[in-house]
């Protein structure tokens, strides 16, 4: 590690299944890892699992005031010594199946804010503390590539994350800061329901969180703009991007509406 600066990683949604695997991937190369999340007990559990490098930061990223708190902490830290954000991993978020009309205004606002505004705001907050060799990893989704009925809100926010991340990567290309959009398919975490409407849900090509995180960090180190685990998921993603949306929307809708 660079003795002239305090090297940190910031991981949002750090206590979830994928977030915890991101923590595991990068903690050895930093002096401190800021684990951002809403559940204090789970954040403290990270400290028990990974040791004193973990700094739990309870924040609700659907509240824009939390961004200022993170910015203030970075400024405070940098007043005492140089700070380098080696890794910013925007992983926070959640979603659910449902008809668009059934989402409350508050749920819509919280989802757009925590997925879209938070990712963009945290990038802008952290970039001044980054240099060549640092990494931004934004978790989008395979769902970013096509409109998807019944997870409409989630897919639309991930489309924003993907587009924003690819454009930001080009803006930062000459700086040497890598920017990677992670676009996984289904990941085996607590966020996925086992049943819907009394039916057991089948998630095709589902994979474990550790494999997605490991591939994402490997791709980020290589400076790749996009990371997709599994060649089969890459194939489906290619089809989503190249088929007429009218066709991909119908295929998706027919496969999931039985659960609702």
């Amino acid at each position: 590690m660079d003795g002239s600066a305090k090297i940190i990683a910031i991981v949002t949604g750090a206590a979830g299944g994928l977030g915890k695997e991101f923590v595991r991937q990068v903690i050895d190369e930093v002096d401190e890892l800021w684990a951002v999340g809403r559940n204090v007990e789970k954040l403290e559990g990270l400290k028990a699992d990974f040791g004193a490098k973990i700094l739990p930061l309870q924040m609700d990223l659907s509240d824009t005031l939390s961004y200022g708190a993170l910015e203030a902490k970075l400024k405070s830290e940098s007043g005492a010594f140089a700070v380098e954000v080696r890794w910013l991993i925007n992983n926070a978020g959640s979603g659910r199946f449902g008809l668009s009309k059934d989402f409350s205004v508050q749920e819509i606002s919280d989802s757009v804010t925590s997925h879209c505004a938070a990712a963009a705001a945290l990038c802008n907050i952290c970039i001044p503390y980054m240099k060549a060799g640092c990494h931004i990893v934004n978790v989008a989704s395979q769902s970013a590539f096509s409109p998807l009925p019944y997870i409409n809100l989630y897919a639309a926010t991930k489309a924003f994350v993907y587009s924003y991340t690819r454009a930001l990567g080009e803006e930062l290309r000459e700086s040497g800061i890598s920017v990677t959009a992670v676009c996984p398919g289904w990941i085996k975490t607590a966020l996925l329901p086992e049943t819907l409407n009394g039916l057991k849900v089948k998630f095709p090509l589902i994979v474990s969180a550790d494999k997605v995180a490991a591939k994402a960090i490997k791709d980020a180190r290589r400076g790749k703009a996009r990371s997709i685990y599994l060649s089969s998921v890459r194939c489906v993603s290619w089809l989503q991007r190249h088929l007429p949306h009218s066709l991909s929307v119908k295929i998706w809708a027919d496969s999931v509406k039985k659960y609702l």
Side-chain angles (χ1 to χ4, degrees):
M1 297 182 192
D2 185 351
S4 64
K6 182 178 184 179
I7 310 299
I8 68 171
I10 299 175
V11 181
T12 71
L18 183 58
K20 187 173 182 178
E21 295 304 326
F22 277 126
V23 170
R24 193 186 311 279
Q25 288 291 321
V26 303
I27 194 166
D28 287 342
E29 68 178 88
V30 299
D31 300 309
E32 196 167 79
L33 190 145
W34 296 6
V36 177
R38 291 182 294 184
N39 189 306
V40 176
E41 185 177 346
K42 288 183 178 180
L43 293 175
E44 290 294 340
L46 286 177
K47 197 167 186 177
D49 289 338
F50 295 104
K53 285 186 178 182
I54 297 289
L55 178 66
L57 295 178
Q58 184 190 24
M59 292 183 182
D60 181 355
L61 295 179
S62 67
D63 179 0
T64 58
L65 294 178
S66 64
Y67 314 157
L70 183 64
E71 185 174 25
K73 180 163 181 59
L74 275 170
K75 287 181 178 178
S76 175
E77 292 283 327
S78 63
F81 36 75
V83 170
E84 177 186 318
V85 179
R86 181 69 56 81
W87 290 92
L88 169 63
I89 302 176
N90 281 308
N91 169 68
S94 61
R96 68 177 178 91
F97 288 91
L99 296 172
S100 295
K101 68 180 182 63
D102 293 337
F103 284 72
S104 69
V105 171
Q106 189 62 56
E107 189 172 3
I108 293 168
S109 176
D110 287 350
S111 182
V112 171
T113 304
S114 60
H115 288 170
C116 305
L122 266 60
C123 285
N124 274 15
I125 288 167
C126 291
I127 286 169
Y129 301 91
M130 306 179 91
K131 63 181 185 179
C134 293
H135 308 278
I136 294 172
V137 175
N138 290 336
V139 178
S141 169
Q142 179 189 331
S143 66
F145 302 127
S146 175
L148 297 181
Y150 311 120
I151 55 168
N152 181 13
L153 180 61
Y154 176 84
T157 62
K158 292 303 185 179
F160 170 90
V161 172
Y162 178 75
S163 179
Y164 170 81
T165 302
R166 294 299 304 269
L168 182 65
E170 179 59 26
E171 291 183 20
L172 295 181
R173 182 167 54 86
E174 294 183 0
S175 73
I177 299 170
S178 75
V179 186
T180 304
V182 183
C183 303
W186 299 114
I187 306 175
K188 193 181 301 181
T189 71
L191 292 178
L192 290 185
E194 293 185 3
T195 62
L196 284 170
N197 198 27
L199 298 175
K200 183 175 177 59
V201 183
K202 296 179 181 179
F203 295 103
L205 306 177
I206 192 168
V207 297
S208 59
D210 59 324
K211 293 178 179 177
V212 173
K215 178 70 160 56
I217 296 304
K218 182 178 180 181
D219 287 341
R221 293 187 200 281
R222 292 177 173 178
K224 290 191 174 182
R226 181 171 61 216
S227 177
I228 302 177
Y229 179 73
L230 280 185
S231 57
S232 51
V233 176
R234 287 195 295 275
C235 180
V236 172
S237 298
W238 187 91
L239 289 172
Q240 286 178 296
R241 296 195 301 277
H242 292 86
L243 285 175
H245 277 170
S246 58
L247 179 58
S248 60
V249 164
K250 186 178 187 307
I251 291 171
W252 169 264
D254 289 344
S255 70
V256 300
K257 63 184 178 183
K258 63 184 177 183
Y259 296 115
L260 301 173

